[in-house]
Every structure is written in C-alpha cells, then in structure tokens.
Amino acid sequence: MTSKEEPVVVLVHGAFAESASWNGVIKHLHGHGRRAVAVANPLRSVEGDAAYLRDVIAGLGCPVVLVGHSYGGMVISQAAADNPAVRALVYVAAFAPDSGESALLLSAKFEGSTLGGALEAYPVSSGGNEFRIAEEKFHGQFCADLDADEAALMGATQRPVTERALTDGLTGRPAWRSLPSWFVYGERDLNIPAETVRFMADRAVSRGTRQVPGASHALAVSQPDAVCAVILDAVGHVNG
C-alpha cells in the first residue's frame, strides 16, 4: 500500500437503513471516477460491527476514505482507530462519539430528536431487544423529504438495530482525534438534531461542515449530490 494509491470510498449505513441507501451517492461518485463500496453493517454491537468493518477494509488492501451514516458513525470512529488504511472520515448525519459515549447518550444531548416515540421493540434470541421504526411513522421520522412511495420501500427494507448497539459506549480513542474529518447533515433531521451534529463537528475540529437546507436524516438518499460533494472534498484532501 502506498500513499499514491487512489482511495476507495467505503460507505457504512446506520440503523433503520441498508447498504442500498448509498446507491445515489455511489452513482455520483462513479460519475467522478471514484470507486465506492457499501458495507452491510450488522447493527449488532459497536465492537463487533467495527471488527467486521476492519475485516472489509483489510480485504480491500488499499487506502480508504471511511463514510458513516447515523449509527455508522459510531462504527467508523472505532474501526478507523490505529488503522493505517483509513486516511479520512466523513460523518453523514452521523454520531462522532468520544470514548465511552453511546448513540443513545449523544442522541439525548440536545433537544429535538423524536426517534424514541417512533420505535417498536421486540426481544431477540441472542438477548435484549431489537428496534425498528414503525412503518406508519417511518416517512415522517426518517425521510420526510422523500416521496411517500420511496419512503414506504425504505420502511419495508429497513435493517433493525439491537439495544446493545445503541447503548454501547465507544472503546478506546476515537479515530477523529487523529484523522481529518468532514461532516454533512440535514437541517430537519429528527433522529440526530442539527445542534448535536454541530457540537460533534466542532469537537472533532471538522475540516468542512455542511448543513443541507430542508434535508431529513436520510439525506444520502434525498440529497446524494450534496453528500457526494463533501466526500469528494475528503478524497481531494487525501489525494492532495
């Protein structure tokens, strides 16, 4: 691996989404001649999900720009720590936790999240509960800036997340303390309030922070061009 190799953009979805939620972003990246890989995030635990992501990165055998959406930000923050393959981080409406912080803790740091009232919980055989967004609430909660038909498809194909994943605190030093990071988020995000993202971006000394007017939590789907532009900024930094 050399520093002159073109980085691959590795995209990590969060809870209540799946890897195809990056399709629009990947299309834009391909249009700019960039290779991208969307990872199927297990959504079981921060440590386990991060270990799986590290395996995927190792399998690529080249430098990467790591992009996380929502809970995926928890995963990239841990997976990229002390990982020489990772050259930059991009947080897309995502959590950027410090050591010991969980997604649940950060989501309640500032007012504005209505996610709790939209969730359905049920027990799983591995222990604890799993959460999904009730399908009748999915459109308004997760992707209000998409049309109803697309929102219904996303609600039907959402990937549930375990209670453990949402309550796991980050272990060790977060990767954003040593790697350059970029942030992009929706003005009308009802899962992770804009104020929360701004706090995390400031704390991480973000190289670039962009708020997308009117965008929901699912801005990778509704505003793929805006998300792609921020990713390309990160790629340009790595290539520069």
Side-chain angles (χ1 to χ4, degrees), residues 26-43:
I26 293 171
K27 183 178 179 179
H28 280 274
L29 288 170
H30 284 174
H32 288 273
R34 302 300 179 186
R35 183 183 172 202
V37 173
V39 177
N41 187 0
L43 305 176

Side-chain angles (χ1 to χ4, degrees), residues 34-187:
R34 302 300 179 186
R35 183 183 172 202
V37 173
V39 177
N41 187 0
L43 305 176
R44 302 294 91 184
S45 69
V46 172
E47 184 175 355
D49 298 343
Y52 173 69
L53 177 56
R54 284 192 293 269
D55 289 343
V56 173
I57 294 169
L60 291 171
C62 59
V64 303
V65 170
L66 205 48
V67 183
H69 173 243
S70 194
Y71 165 80
M74 298 286 304
V75 178
I76 71 171
S77 296
Q78 184 147 328
D82 301 317
N83 189 332
V86 183
R87 305 298 170 82
L89 303 168
V90 181
Y91 292 89
V92 180
F95 294 112
D98 207 344
S99 180
E101 291 179 341
S102 68
L104 187 62
L105 184 152
L106 285 169
S107 67
K109 190 171 185 65
F110 298 98
E111 294 182 356
S113 176
T114 57
L115 178 61
L119 295 178
E120 297 177 332
Y122 48 90
V124 289
S125 58
S126 57
N129 292 316
E130 187 171 74
F131 295 103
R132 63 183 286 114
I133 297 177
E135 289 192 29
E136 69 274 12
K137 297 179 180 179
F138 192 92
H139 190 188
Q141 178 63 42
F142 198 81
C143 53
D145 52 347
L146 295 175
D147 65 48
D149 288 343
E150 188 167 12
L153 287 173
M154 289 182 65
T157 59
Q158 67 176 291
R159 296 274 305 280
V161 63
T162 65
E163 183 177 15
R164 177 182 174 182
L166 297 181
T167 57
D168 273 353
L170 187 83
T171 58
R173 189 170 186 260
W176 51 259
R177 289 205 175 273
S178 55
L179 290 170
S181 61
W182 283 256
F183 287 73
V184 58
Y185 61 96
E187 176 191 16

